[in-house]
Every structure is written in structure tokens, then in C-alpha cells.
Amino acid sequence: MNTNLALPALLLSGLLAAQAHAAGDAQMLRVALHADIASINPGVNRDANADMVLAHVVEGLVAYGDDLKIKPVLAESWQVSDDGKVYEFKLRPKVHFQNGSVLTADTVVWNFKRYLDPKTNFQCVNRYNGKIGPALQDVQAVDPLTVRFTFSAPAPNFPMTMATVQCTPWILHPDSLKADGSFNAPIGTGPYAFGGMMQGRQLDLKRFADYDTLPGARDGYAGNKTATIPVLRFMTVPDASTRSNGLLSGDLDVVDGIEPATMETLRGQGIPVQVQQTPSWLVMQVQTNAPALQDVRMRQAIAQALSLPDLAEASGEGLYTANPSVLVPQSPYYDARSKTWPAYDPAAARKLLAQAGYKGQPITLLVANRQERVQAATIVQAMLAASGINVELKVRDWASQLDLYGRGQYELAIFGYSARLDPLLMYESLIGDKKLEPTRQWDDPKAAALLKQVAMEPDLAKRRDGFNQLHELMARDIPIIGLFNLPVVTALRPVVQGYEGWPAGTHRFWGVTKTQP
């Protein structure tokens, strides 16, 4: 555990001020993080903060644009064989890594072989090794700028899978590893280079002067990524009041996760606040392997004891949208079936509890010590208590919750999933064999078979039907309880200009400028 996370707010405030005065103000953008990033090794032991920070350092072959279409980044173009099994990507010429080396097809091949190696512990390896969708059987360099990927079966979602903002197969230079093969530090092709970190304090990125930018405008994780600010400093500030005070004092430049009440206070003091709606999803994970929750009637009772609209309103004061489904109302796959869910009915919940033989024994609810999540957990606890369900809160730091999540060691847990820009990516994160992957929420052969079917379906209408069949099945099995979709609420000092949110909900600090106050 990071002992620095327990530093008193006053001491943290002093550290912020000391760091602020030590740097030329316009030369550094100071961004508050609620906790240290999980890892600097892309896609390995990752979390949303790690994905966001490292997206400034490393790039993939393709990426989502603002319009959620998949666009070239390190690839210049690609084509797929008539049978859908073979993809050829043509790379952009003369793209430089941050150590001066030039990107080649051989480097791309090296990266994918590394990701497929079980020793790497790439969190999304199952999307490429055949456990989820067709297996990537071969990756080869056709010529210095052409890479050929061969699959065991048609792979219509390969570009989409590579474009995901969660554990993208980023292209690293081999010098990112030490001589013994262990990971050292990321060397990528992005607009910023890794500059070092102090655990519990800060992580620095430095502008890459020789970045090979694309023409045009900023566009999601594709497009023009011209960086202007010399240093991005991501500062670990767990305390919400310290973050807000740091913004007002000028010791911090960017703070997200702003509470509704705090949002109005900041606006009243001249601090701009942006609200970006996203598919990010706050959920209550349900460990179906836990003895107290193996009976589906227990899980259905918990679902019926929760009034999701009241929970969303009490938690977000109008900012949050209640939603039990992977599908969001803005999605082309959303329809009337997406609203299917056990109705709020405490009396029915009590009957189900009695049928399941529940005698009031305590059930633990794990939650990270983030103000907004503890607040949601407390409201959930009260709602469940009203139906006779005895819940004990188990508050831990974020790193500890991630560890318990990774091992599947919890009963109930409040957990946030960052925005998956296609429902398939979210369902792939939820469905699977818990024995092989303890992070999976839904271990069910019917769901797995349906997921496999929809993963191979290119037709939009048929995909919509498949996704909604999955949701209707989830509403019966209750392997997870979606609570509400989360916007990204970001406050920035007035000296910060050019920042724009986008549907993925992640920060992008290329194209951002900062003036001397």
C-alpha cells in the first residue's frame, strides 16, 4: 500500500504549493489524479488513469475519432481479405520513436508477439488468443512498412478491438524492456515521452520535440496531436478538498471527478467546469461465486431493493443517468428491450430473500475511498437495509480494491468501468470463466455462446438484437447491477485553453495551451 496516500490534506497542500513554485508556470500543466496509476507498462496491471496517461506516450495502429469511427494512427491504411481472416496494414513512413528509432513492420510484429506471450500478462490477451473471438494465428512483416495479421476465422472486429481505449495493443520500442526482458519504461511514438515518477507523488511526461504529427484537427485518439506545453505533471492527490483548494490557489491546473456541489462553488469563483457525457458506468459487482450470493433469488432481491433513479439523483444531483444496461440511450443498439430490469419493489425483494433462506447475515460491500463512490455505497447500503438486507461497507484504497477485484475476492463491490465505445468490448470484459479470469462477472455458458455469436456479426440490426438478448439474460441472472452512467466533470484554471472532452471520457492534453497568469 502507498503510505503517501495517507498524508494529511495540509501536508499535501504544502507539497502542491512547493512544486508549483518550483516550475515555470506556463511550462507545466499540473493535473490531479485521485491515485497513482496502476502501472506504466501499457495494458499490464492497468486502470483507466494508466490508459489515459500512457495514451500521451504510446500509440496504436488505429484509434477512435471524436465521431467514434475507427481511423488510422500509425497505420496509413489497411485492407482485409474476402474471407475476413487476413488483414494487411500499411504503416506511415518515417514515424519516430522517442529514442530516435524509426517505426517498422518488424517492430509491430515484435509488439504483438510480446502481447500474445502469457508471460507479458497483457490484460486483453484473450481478445487475440482465441478465448474471445478468433485466434490471431500469425503476424508477419511483408515488407518494411506492411504487417499481415492472419486469424483462425473471420475477424470483423479486429480494428475495433485494437482501437479500444482500454489496454490498446500500443506499439512500443523494444528498448522499453531491460536486457533480461522485464519492463523498464515506455518508449513510444506519442507527443509526450515518459519523464519519471515518484510513487505517491507525481508522474512527469515531457514533450517529444520530434513527434510526427498527423495533419488536420484533433480527433479522438487519432488526428493531430501537436503538443505545446513542455511538461505534463500528473499529481497524486487523493483528498477531494485538497484538489479543489489546489485549483483555486493555482497549485493545480486540471481536476476531474468534481462533485455537483463543488462544481457550482468553483464556477462561482470563476473556474470553468466542463461536463462530458460518456458511457462510463458505475456498477455494483456481484460475486456470484460467494456463498451468500450463489442463489439467483438473492441477487434478484438485491436488484429489486434498489431504486436506480433515486440512487442516481441522490448521488449526482441530476448529472448521472440511471442505467442498468451495458447499452446507453445514445447507442444505435439501444431499444425498448434495453430497459428490461427487475422493478424496484421492496416487498417482492423480501419475499425472494425468504425463499432464498436469508436470515440477515452480513454481506460486505467493497468500495474505494473516493468520496463519490463512498457516497453511492452508503445510499445503496441504506436502500438494501430498507428491504432487510444487512450490508457492511468495506472501504479500501483504490490499489487494494483493484487487487481484490483481480482475485475475485469480494461479495459486493462498487466499481467503475471506463467508457467502452462499442457494447461488445464491455460484454467481453464481463463474460467469461471465473476460474481462468477472476475479474469476470458473468460465468454463464448461454451468455458466452451469445457473445461469441454477436462478436462475429457485422450487421447492425443483428448486433442490436444480440446485444439486447444478452441484456435480457443479464436482467434474469443478475451477475452485475448497473447503477448509472457517469459524465466526466473537469475543472480547469482559466489560464488553460483548448481543452476539449470527447465521448471516451479520457483527457487529451495535446492541443492544450497554458498562459502565464
Side-chain angles (χ1 to χ4, degrees), residues 443-461:
D443 190 344
D444 177 77
K446 290 182 181 178
L450 194 52
L451 176 65
K452 187 175 182 179
Q453 179 181 332
V454 76
M456 300 299 294
E457 182 54 66
D459 182 77
L460 188 146

Side-chain angles (χ1 to χ4, degrees), residues 94-402:
K94 298 179 182 178
V95 173
H96 290 83
F97 284 97
Q98 290 138 6
N99 63 357
S101 299
V102 175
L103 173 69
T104 67
D106 285 334
T107 309
V108 175
V109 171
W110 177 86
N111 273 271
F112 274 86
K113 288 185 175 180
R114 174 177 174 267
Y115 287 127
L116 285 167
D117 184 347
K119 294 179 182 177
T120 303
N121 292 319
F122 180 49
Q123 285 195 10
C124 287
V125 67
N126 287 351
R127 294 177 182 171
Y128 302 93
N129 64 11
K131 292 183 179 178
I132 299 175
L136 179 55
Q137 292 182 319
D138 188 42
V139 187
Q140 58 180 290
V142 177
D143 61 44
L145 290 176
T146 306
V147 186
R148 179 180 296 152
F149 298 85
T150 304
F151 288 86
S152 61
N157 295 307
F158 179 46
M160 179 193 73
T161 302
M162 286 200 297
T164 176
V165 297
Q166 294 84 19
C167 57
T168 306
W170 306 110
I171 303 304
L172 294 162
H173 190 273
D175 286 353
S176 302
L177 306 188
K178 299 176 183 177
D180 63 3
S182 62
F183 189 80
N184 182 33
I187 300 172
T189 59
Y192 283 91
F194 178 71
M197 67 182 293
M198 297 172 61
Q199 199 76 8
R201 296 283 187 88
Q202 67 195 42
L203 182 152
D204 285 354
L205 303 182
K206 297 181 179 180
R207 184 176 58 191
F208 176 34
D210 295 323
Y211 176 64
D212 299 289
T213 192
L214 286 163
R218 178 172 43 196
D219 189 7
Y221 269 180
N224 190 310
K225 297 182 185 177
T226 300
T228 57
I229 299 173
V231 177
L232 303 181
R233 173 162 289 176
F234 296 91
M235 304 178 68
T236 303
V237 189
D239 182 73
S241 62
T242 304
R243 291 194 297 271
S244 298
N245 290 336
L247 197 64
L248 291 168
S249 67
D251 297 335
L252 292 170
D253 299 309
V254 182
V255 173
D256 63 15
I258 302 295
E259 295 294 311
T262 305
M263 179 173 71
E264 296 310 316
T265 300
L266 291 173
R267 281 177 169 165
Q269 298 191 52
I271 298 292
V273 180
Q274 292 192 19
V275 179
Q276 173 67 52
Q277 297 298 330
T278 78
S280 296
W281 202 31
L282 195 76
V283 305
M284 185 161 70
Q285 295 172 328
V286 181
Q287 181 50 271
T288 56
N289 282 349
L293 299 167
Q294 286 178 340
D295 191 322
V296 70
R297 292 171 297 187
M298 279 295 302
R299 306 196 297 271
Q300 290 168 343
I302 291 171
Q304 291 206 274
L306 294 174
S307 172
L308 299 184
D310 289 338
L311 174 62
E313 178 60 32
S315 299
E317 299 180 22
L319 277 179
Y320 303 158
T321 303
N323 183 19
S325 176
V326 166
L327 305 169
V328 296
Q330 300 82 9
S331 170
Y333 303 108
Y334 191 90
D335 64 21
R337 294 172 294 172
S338 310
K339 302 176 184 179
T340 302
W341 197 252
Y344 172 59
D345 189 338
R350 287 181 178 274
K351 289 182 181 178
L352 286 167
L353 292 173
Q355 292 170 12
Y358 178 66
K359 303 296 184 182
Q361 57 268 38
I363 300 172
T364 59
L365 175 57
L366 176 66
V367 60
N369 60 349
R370 298 181 180 179
Q371 181 179 341
E372 71 281 4
R373 295 194 182 180
V374 173
Q375 180 183 7
T378 303
I379 298 168
V380 165
Q381 181 187 38
M383 286 184 174
L384 295 181
S387 292
I389 304 170
N390 179 11
V391 168
E392 295 180 352
L393 296 190
K394 188 177 179 181
V395 182
R396 298 290 184 269
D397 64 79
W398 175 234
S400 296
Q401 178 168 10
L402 268 183

